[in-house]
Every structure is written in structure tokens, then in C-alpha cells.
Amino acid sequence: MLTAFCISSKRGEILFASLFEPSLTKAIFHPFLTELSSSPHGDPPPAFAKDGQNYVYVFRDDLYWVCAVGKGSFLEQCGHLLITESLSQLHRVCSVLCGALTQHSIMANTTLITEVVQETMNGGILQLQTADKLQSHIYSSVVAAKESSAVSAAPGLFGLEKSAPSTAAQQSALAVDTGKRELYVDVVEKVWASVASGGTVIRAEVTGSILARCFLPGNPNLTLTLNTQLLTTSQEGFNTGTRMSEVEFGSGVDVGSGDGGRQLSVMTLPGQEMNIVRYTLSPDHPHLLPFTITASSHSLTPSDSELRLKLTSNTGMGTVAPQVTFRTVAPATTAAVMSRTSGPRDQAVHFSPDNKAITWTISQFPGGSYAQAFIRLVDSGGNAVVESGELEFEVSRWVCSGVRVESVKLTPSVNNLNKWVRYLTTSDSVSLRLT
């Protein structure tokens, strides 16, 4: 039987854990995380033993879904394939219930995932389930980690997005009326980045997925045509296309050769999310982050200083960020802050005296514009400076890689079909140096 289960981020942070023996703690996964960080050839094998513990895992949506297997158990004797399939099935169930899986959505839906794990891993004993069978046993509702309503009011590629939910993560697939004949194609990217004070990108990782959800009778064949080839090999001559370091096509996806490898075809499954392709931008690809922030500090009085922040959107006209949040920590002696802002109307600066945290929030941030905040740090010292901060964002109708879906075709064709193609970029960890 299984002794423990966890979901870990790509950085080795445990986002969710379920222990099936009372004597265990999260420390049972420390050997796994150690092996993850020290493996010289990428990820370790899908099943391995370390420090007396047996581990089986799968890597989905930039998250590690890990099980610890008890010694001498029946599962250990049977091998890891059954556990691997069960973890993949658990991931599919969570994807259907929660939508796009990120670190934020996992932590926001801990209660719901706990119920799913209790049903699929009953006390460490695997139970094979599907989302439709589990739905009647789940009492928690999905918590949207980042609310967005911008896309629902704007026309999109097909001119029909005005009635669509803003992101796939905010609506359960089981809640969509299948009688509406709907097709959703989402290009979703996540960003990890470290940026120097001058705006230079020190390190950036962008991973993306093209997902499809089809609510149609039968199993029509879906064909997508992209604006660029998803290749990991460099081409001769001048090439302006997107460069990838990893490309992984979903099960059953056929990559056409007639259009330079830009056509992807797959048979649809009614009511289920299909991962058509997952990719990672090449490290040498020129990363364009959606926002640039500049900061400066000025002395106002011997006891007070002013922090000036300017946030510029690089996403261009026609895009919008439903919410952008910048977080930093004021000097330890800061007693209060006073602030004024310019730019978009919906801005707020909040100060927490307990942990000295400053939070600057901007709602409905249009692409191509900028916002400014002037924050007076009371009793911080006239020469006080703020060194770094974290930026969180969600940008609609824009992705860092520039990947676009040029056409969507169903074979055989379906009448009265509502099609939505949506683009979404979210931050997972973006740290900024201010000085």
C-alpha cells in the first residue's frame, strides 16, 4: 500500500501532502527532493529507492505527483506501472475539477484535492476512479486562484468570447452545458523569472501548454494550425520562429508534415480536457516578459524616504491584465506608509505593520500603458532603500512565446458550434531586484 502522497513544485516545494500513516511527517519526501535537486542527468527514474524509501512519481503541468510505497507491500511487488497510471489518472481528475493546474490553484484548492485523494487513495489503497464518478462524492467547490473577467467582455479570434468564461481554470468542465456545442482551445503559459534592477532578465523559464476541451456529440477530429513550428532542433539560416528546448505532444496527437509541421490533429473526447502539446522555451530564446518595473528611492526628511515605482506593460494594445500585484518588504523601522498612484484607476497600496509588507495592486491593467506608485515610508530613515520584490500577474490574450492558433477545424464539420481560442500568461515566481 501507499504510505504518503504529495504534489511538489519544480523548485522542490511541497504544495500538498497526504500521509496515510499517523507516525509519518512530510520529512518522508526529503530524500525524493534531495534526489531531484542532485540528479546529474535531469529528473530521476520514475521509480527509485533512496534512504530506505521507495518513490514513484509522474511529472505533469510542471508539478511532481509523488507516492511513497511501503516496503514489502503488494504494490511494491507488482511494480510501479499501476501506481504511475493511478497518479496520471489523479492528475486528470484534478485537471477536470480545477482547470489549469498551477502552484496557486493547487494551494487554493487544498480542501478539494484532499477529498479527491481520499476517494482515489483510500487510506493508501488505490481506487480507480474518473471525474464523473467522483463528482457526487466531492463536496468542496473550486476556488479560482486568480479571478479574471476581462476576456468575457472582449471579442476574440472568432468574435464569440464575450460570453465565455475568462479562463479554463475558473469553470469546471462538468459544469458546462454540453448541449451548447462548445469547443475551447487554450494556450496557457507560466513564467519563472529573476530580473536585475535595470530590467535585465537574469534567468527566465517559460513553459506552455495547448489544451482543448470539446463538448460535442461523437468524436470529431480536431485540427489546429499554429503560426510557428514547435521544434527543438535549430534550423539553418535566419529563423524568426519560436525556439523550444522541450516539446512533448499528447497521446494520440498527429503532427502533420504538409504544412511545415504546424498542423496538429487529435480525436476529441467529449467533456474531457486534452493536452495537445506541452513545451518549454529555449534558454537562448529572447524572453519578453509582460511587465517591466523600475524603482528609485529619495530622501524626504531625515526620518522619511520615498519609494517610486513605475510598472510598464509590454503586451501591447488589445491585451489586458485583470490583476497585477507587486509585493515587497519595507525597512524594519517603518511605522506607516502614505501613497499616491497614477495610471489605471483601480489601484491600491496596502501596508501590513506586522510583517512590514507593502502590496501594490492594479486591476484591469491595459496593455501598452504604465502605472506609477509613490510610497512614503514613515520613520524608515531618510536613506532607506527597498532592495527586491515579487510580481504576480495574469495577462489575457497574450503569451510570452508568441505561439498563436491560426485556424481551428473539425472533421466532420459541426453545425451551430461555438469556438473559443484563448491565451493566458500567469506568473509562478517572478523576483525583481530594485537596487
Side-chain angles (χ1 to χ4, degrees):
M1 62 179 293
L2 305 179
T3 58
F5 164 77
C6 83
I7 303 174
S8 169
S9 71
K10 200 174 182 180
R11 309 297 179 188
E13 303 168 306
I14 296 180
L15 309 175
F16 174 87
S18 183
L19 308 174
F20 305 125
E21 294 184 4
S23 59
L24 296 179
T25 65
K26 291 182 180 180
I28 190 175
F29 294 107
H30 289 174
F32 172 82
L33 299 177
T34 302
E35 181 69 17
L36 200 65
S37 61
S38 61
S39 181
H41 305 293
D43 289 343
F48 66 93
K50 185 176 179 64
D51 296 347
Q53 296 290 343
N54 297 323
Y55 299 100
V56 180
Y57 77 95
V58 296
F59 185 64
R60 300 287 188 275
D61 284 330
D62 293 303
L63 300 170
Y64 292 94
W65 304 67
V66 190
C67 278
V69 185
K71 290 184 179 181
S73 66
F74 177 72
L75 286 177
E76 183 187 22
Q77 298 173 12
C78 290
H80 68 275
L81 293 180
L82 175 60
I83 305 176
T84 301
E85 176 58 30
S86 297
L87 289 174
S88 299
Q89 190 173 30
L90 174 62
H91 166 263
R92 287 193 293 269
V93 171
C94 292
S95 297
V96 170
L97 295 177
C98 300
L101 294 177
T102 65
Q103 295 187 33
H104 301 292
S105 64
I106 291 293
M107 292 186 288
N109 291 283
T110 299
T111 304
L112 185 147
I113 295 175
T114 299
E115 290 192 59
V116 174
V117 171
Q118 288 175 349
E119 294 291 337
T120 58
M121 299 179 180
N122 183 15
I125 302 174
L126 293 175
Q127 309 288 322
L128 299 179
Q129 295 287 352
T130 58
D132 55 342
K133 294 180 180 178
L134 282 172
Q135 184 69 14
S136 61
H137 301 281
I138 303 300
Y139 297 96
S140 301
S141 57
V142 179
V143 177
K146 295 180 178 179
E147 293 292 338
S148 170
S149 59
V151 179
S152 59
L157 182 63
F158 296 97
L160 295 171
E161 289 192 21
K162 59 184 179 181
S163 61
S166 57
T167 67
Q170 296 176 17
Q171 183 168 5
S172 169
L174 300 177
V176 177
D177 183 3
T178 57
K180 292 183 178 180
R181 295 176 177 263
E182 295 174 320
L183 173 65
Y184 299 85
V185 177
D186 292 338
V187 182
V188 182
E189 293 187 352
K190 292 183 290 186
V191 181
W192 294 267
S194 178
V195 184
S197 57
T200 303
V201 179
I202 301 174
R203 174 185 57 83
E205 293 183 20
V206 177
T207 61
S209 298
I210 299 180
L211 310 172
R213 282 181 176 166
C214 184
F215 304 95
L216 300 170
N219 300 96
N221 196 67
L222 170 65
T223 301
L224 304 179
T225 302
L226 307 181
N227 64 336
T228 183
Q229 300 180 41
L230 302 180
L231 298 176
T232 57
T233 56
S234 59
Q235 294 180 313
E236 296 182 358
F238 181 72
N239 178 27
T240 59
T242 303
R243 297 194 295 273
M244 306 292 180
S245 61
E246 296 180 15
V247 176
E248 180 184 355
F249 294 100
S251 176
V253 175
D254 178 44
V255 182
S257 57
D259 196 15
R262 297 189 295 122
Q263 284 192 352
L264 308 177
S265 300
V266 65
M267 185 179 68
T268 60
L269 300 174
Q272 295 189 24
E273 181 180 82
M274 297 171 291
N275 193 338
I276 296 177
V277 64
R278 176 185 173 276
Y279 56 86
T280 302
L281 284 188
S282 175
D284 61 352
H285 185 79
H287 290 96
L288 175 63
L289 299 184
F291 298 99
T292 302
I293 192 168
T294 56
S296 60
S297 297
H298 304 271
S299 176
L300 297 179
T301 68
S303 61
D304 297 356
S305 64
E306 184 180 60
L307 173 64
R308 298 180 182 178
L309 300 172
K310 181 178 180 180
L311 187 67
T312 305
S313 172
N314 303 321
T315 59
M317 301 296 292
T319 64
V320 65
Q323 182 163 313
V324 182
T325 302
F326 176 75
R327 293 186 174 89
T328 188
V329 178
T333 58
T334 304
V337 302
M338 293 182 288
S339 64
R340 59 186 177 90
T341 60
S342 65
R345 291 187 302 172
D346 297 329
Q347 297 188 54
V349 177
H350 179 264
F351 175 67
S352 175
D354 296 333
N355 55 12
K356 308 301 180 183
I358 299 175
T359 304
W360 178 28
T361 303
I362 309 169
S363 300
Q364 304 304 318
F365 194 180
S369 63
Y370 68 89
Q372 290 181 295
F374 304 87
I375 305 173
R376 181 167 183 161
L377 309 175
V378 180
D379 292 338
S380 63
N383 297 321
V385 296
V386 177
E387 296 182 350
S388 61
E390 297 283 335
L391 189 65
E392 295 181 2
F393 52 80
E394 177 182 297
V395 183
S396 301
R397 303 196 296 278
W398 187 86
V399 288
C400 296
S401 65
V403 172
R404 309 292 293 183
V405 178
E406 292 187 340
S407 68
V408 179
K409 181 180 179 181
L410 286 175
T411 307
S413 60
V414 178
N415 297 325
N416 301 322
L417 174 64
N418 295 327
K419 295 184 287 187
W420 290 283
V421 177
R422 302 173 293 185
Y423 302 89
L424 180 71
T425 298
T426 62
S427 61
D428 212 321
S429 176
V430 178
S431 60
L432 307 164
R433 293 289 302 178
L434 303 180
T435 59

